[in-house]
Amino acid sequence: MQKNLVIVESPAKAKTLEKFLGKDYKVMSSYGHIRDLKKKEMSIDLDQFTPVYEIPDDKADVVRSLKTLAKQAETVWLASDEDREGEAISWHLSQVLGLDPSAAKRIVFHEITKNAILEAIEHPRTIDMGLVNAQQARRVLDRIVGFKLSPVLWKKLKPSLSAGRVQSVAVRLIVEREKEIEQFKSESSFRVTALFAIDGQQIKASLGHSFKTEAEARAYLESLKGKNFTIADIEKKPVKKTPAPPFTTSTLQQEAARKLGFTVSQTMMVAQHLYESGFITYMRTDSVNLSSLCVGTTKDEILKLHGENYSRPRQYHTSSKGAQEAHEAIRPTYISNHEIEGNNQEKRLYDLIWKRTVACQMADAEAEKTTITITADGDSTLSFVATGEVITFDGFLRVYRESYDDDNVQEESDDLLPAVSAGNVLQLVDATATQRFTVHPLRYTEASLVKKMEELGIGRPSTYAPTISTIQQREYVERGDKKGEEVTYAVLKLKGNRITTTEKSEVIGHEKGKLLPTDIGTVVNDFLMKYFPSIIDYNFTAKVEKEFDEIAEGNANWRDMMQSFYDEFSPMIDQTMSDRSDHKVGERVLGNDPQSGKPVSVKIGRFGPVVQIGLATDEEKPRFAQLKREQSIQTLTLDEALELFRLPRVLGEYEGEDMIIGTGRFGPYIQHDGKYVSIPKGVDPLSLEIDEAIKLINEKRKAEQASHIKTFDEDANLEVMNGRFGPYLKWNGSNYKIPKSVKEPAELTYEQCMDIINGQGESAPKKSYRRTKKA
């Protein structure tokens, strides 16, 4: 009989724990949740809001194995993660394995180190039903919203749509930002800079005032002719730069995006690997607290690396309300490990965490900031200002520098100014008035959206990444680039007594990797704002999160919360379902078709945004055309809509079949003999010639033939294919890699192919254990 069975969430975590526990302990993984609500049913009794759980088919073997081992063990230790979701996993395990929740040995640790694990085993606790009920409340509330609201969207908008409580609020943020940008009117102004000389040295300064028009800017430059410039004031003051607190989930996501270019979900995936390998503490936290052990060991490391002057131990405190899942910030488990073994992404993220942790325990950086005020003929109403900063002590900045020279630290400077005194006369070398344009508010990146959600109290550390992934998977939002606008701007330069004017051009407003609302996302948001404003209200969403916190702390009853919410929500559903409208939600009438006189409208159709000519009530069926990928129902004009109906057209015959030129969501194509051939970019589908179309059809045929290397009489579903990354096997809808040892894939026999498939099937990774956080 096995003395101890320890159950964790993931195989990687199990593997790390086994290193620290002796032979008396067997560590097994539950691969995340072992029970959940049924996928295709609400699975909630709305009278008592009791969830009905099931063991999914893909977890049956795991549960069977855990049951067997649990019966054989003297003690079962539940060691899932320390947050609400982890607590719920332990509770589900206790239910399925027949353990008493009030007596089950629950152990938690926010770092996978030998000391932390042995300490947890020395001090086990019982399952915290407050945390379990908070997780159940979130799960039940979100299931009710999803299952009740989605059918409304199917009826009123489009089949297969879905709505979620936190996801819909995130989409709202992105849609509202896009509308701000659409309404934004750019304004221009002229900013003046000047270059002054003294004793062979130069000072660059800026005027503290800008001008609205070119005429005003020109008049000001004219006024500078013949003026005497003097230094009216020099102010030197010491400034301190303080290190940022250690990482929370959201700040790690933001910094990894800024410095490493990681997506939010990528950051969480890499951080999870680091945690499960024992390199960092738990990665879902909103606390900036550090353990006294961490503060002490970090101090020792700083003293060893940099000396006494660089050490300043700090204890940070979490100010955000509801930091219930947080015991400690994200930090290295062993600060003496400057680097780790791992892939490139893991090394880079660990380096980011290590430096942030060390820096926050180091002394402030000190600098001397110099501000020089320059006046023309003593007139202080419009003064030029030059600023410079000299680092006098680098402090925590030292940890971020690739290399440094102890002898030159004092001389490091952001913008060194020459040594001058008040009253010194300066010579004006030149003055420049440059036209500048105000830029619209920036669209959200994944990281800046997380920051905004945190500011509003929407979601928690565990929900940010899955929320952002979900809204993209549902195609309400897409990550992409926005082209900027090329503008011409004027530059006026005074040199000597002559003013010259030149025109230059630049692109403003260009954005990369931003979150952009799709047409469907915009229409769904507008619909929810009209009929369910309270559900996607920022304050309501934040209030719900606080109520979950109250439940977690044992200060509120989760069923009472559900009842209160449902009493308000259910009538909204009934009212919206019964509401009738002449126009489909999101539909815009653009005008009339000049040829038929019928109305032209744009709306969300069954397969996406479409233009419609005519009405469903007409004797003649309406005509439809899909929008191009770059077009939007929000901005489409009548002329652009009518242009879409110039296709399809029959080009001619080839091999006894019509060649039809059409256009779809992804651009123009040739339809021939039941197949589609894309028309390359730059080729006008309206002027495409017959011989060009035949050439494109034949080229696609050749490419398809080249991709099929070999078929087999023994099994029509088996084929040797040639793909983008080389030859592979295709069998029953799945792809299998051909080993590098196979030099001639075309010579593979049926038996050899099946050996490859069976070999990969046995070693193929099981389904991911990672739990999906429901937002």
Side-chain angles (χ1 to χ4, degrees), residues 2 4-8 13-28 77 79 107 109 112-122:
Q2 180 69 46
N4 297 281
L5 173 65
V6 181
I7 305 175
V8 297
K13 191 175 177 181
K15 192 176 178 182
T16 309
L17 254 67
E18 281 178 340
K19 294 179 189 173
F20 305 126
L21 298 172
K23 60 181 179 178
D24 290 338
Y25 290 83
K26 184 171 183 63
V27 186
M28 293 293 291
W77 303 84
I107 56 173
F109 34 83
I112 304 178
T113 60
K114 188 170 184 177
N115 287 342
I117 292 157
L118 296 178
E119 176 73 15
I121 287 174
E122 284 292 316

Side-chain angles (χ1 to χ4, degrees), residues 572-588:
M572 288 189 217
I573 295 287
D574 297 338
Q575 176 63 41
T576 307
M577 287 296 260
S578 61
D579 187 63
R580 298 187 178 278
S581 175
D582 293 336
H583 291 289
K584 193 170 181 182
V585 176
E587 183 176 357
R588 286 176 61 225

